Amino acid sequence: MNIVLFGPPAAGKGTQAKIITAERGLLQLSTGDMLRAAKSSGSELGNKVAGIMDRGDLVSDEIVIALIEEQLDNNPDAPGFIFDGFPRTVAQAEALDKSLSSRGTAVDGVVRLCVEDDVIMGRIEQRFKDEGRKDDNPESFKIRLDNYNKQTAPLLPYYAAQGKLSEVDGLASIETVSASVTKVLNEMNVSGGGKKPSFWKRIFGLS
Ligand code: AMP
């Protein structure tokens, strides 16, 4: 099962991804976490992206696609993936589709956490106070939110056209949002690739 968790920054994607990971054993692939790790390790990649991230801008498609490809290559036996913060542009979504398809699998569903901009702004002020993440400062965060609305939100019709988009209310408590996400995932049609065939298919060739 491959899931994309979709929503603006600070919508709670990371929190929900961790819950799903714990419940279903899927692997969480967060490009934000990967880039932050590169940044704090002081690697060449980290130094290259540090300024862009602090400003609140998007790192190039080429860089994030390569990070995801690397993880897919390194985890051929994973039961599935939760993509958190990726894809963020139509080019990234197309690359992901291509990449999964070449591995005999696909995005099974996209779960959108719906949270309004003014609620997000309130949440982020608190997170900035609590965690002090540089790109949570009000100026950078505004750029991140603008980038989401301009570059990432256009992915919604892309996935809706594929019949893969589900929406949940992201304003509720963590537990309530998680229950809604679980319901959506339980109702999802799962792609064939990367999974064991069902009992009937294995025994009788039936699907
Ligand atoms: P996040 O923690 O997902 O909000 O990501 C933090 C920052 O990392 C973003 O503001 C971007 O600068 C960068 N980033 C993370 N994922 C992507 C992506 N898929 N495409 C471009 N930039 C990304």
Side-chain angles (χ1 to χ4, degrees):
M1 176 181 248
N2 298 309
I3 309 298
V4 173
L5 268 185
F6 197 91
K13 299 188 294 294
T15 305
Q16 293 301 327
K18 284 187 179 60
I19 297 174
I20 303 167
T21 301
E23 283 175 353
R24 296 174 189 252
L26 304 178
L27 207 65
Q28 178 187 2
L29 296 185
S30 158
T31 39
D33 285 351
M34 292 176 213
L35 292 166
R36 272 186 291 281
K39 209 173 142 214
S40 51
S41 76
S43 66
E44 197 184 323
L45 170 67
N47 294 336
K48 195 168 161 186
V49 298
I52 304 171
M53 289 175 73
D54 290 348
R55 214 165 49 231
D57 273 326
L58 290 187
V59 168
S60 75
D61 288 337
E62 200 191 355
I63 289 177
V64 288
I65 291 166
L67 287 173
I68 290 289
E69 290 275 351
E70 190 184 8
Q71 290 299 318
L72 296 179
D73 284 343
N74 289 346
N75 296 285
D77 298 326
F81 299 94
I82 303 172
F83 298 94
D84 158 17
F86 180 92
R88 262 173 151 104
T89 63
V90 173
Q92 291 176 25
E94 287 170 349
L96 179 62
D97 280 351
K98 217 166 134 197
S99 188
L100 290 175
S101 151
S102 74
R103 290 168 173 84
T105 184
V107 169
D108 295 299
V110 178
V111 184
R112 176 187 183 191
L113 303 181
C114 301
V115 187
E116 281 128 34
D117 283 6
D118 52 342
V119 178
I120 297 264
M121 288 310 286
R123 276 190 189 179
I124 210 62
E125 275 167 29
Q126 192 56 45
R127 189 166 88 176
F128 187 48
K129 276 187 208 139
D130 293 344
E131 298 175 23
R133 220 174 99 173
K134 242 186 188 169
D135 60 347
D136 281 346
N137 77 70
E139 299 84 61
S140 300
F141 192 76
K142 182 151 188 332
I143 296 174
R144 289 167 68 199
L145 203 50
D146 280 352
N147 282 334
Y148 169 80
N149 286 321
K150 288 193 189 116
Q151 302 193 61
T152 308
L155 278 176
L156 293 168
Y158 177 86
Y159 284 121
Q162 297 183 11
K164 292 180 177 170
L165 184 64
S166 307
E167 301 192 334
V168 305
D169 176 8
L171 288 175
S173 67
I174 291 175
E175 295 74 22
T176 306
V177 175
S178 169
S180 311
V181 172
T182 297
K183 187 163 177 281
V184 165
L185 297 186
N186 288 344
E187 287 164 0
M188 221 166 248
N189 277 332
V190 176
S191 67
K195 286 193 316 139
K196 274 196 185 147
S198 71
F199 172 79
W200 296 110
K201 188 158 187 170
R202 273 181 281 144
I203 306 295
F204 300 113
L206 300 171
S207 50

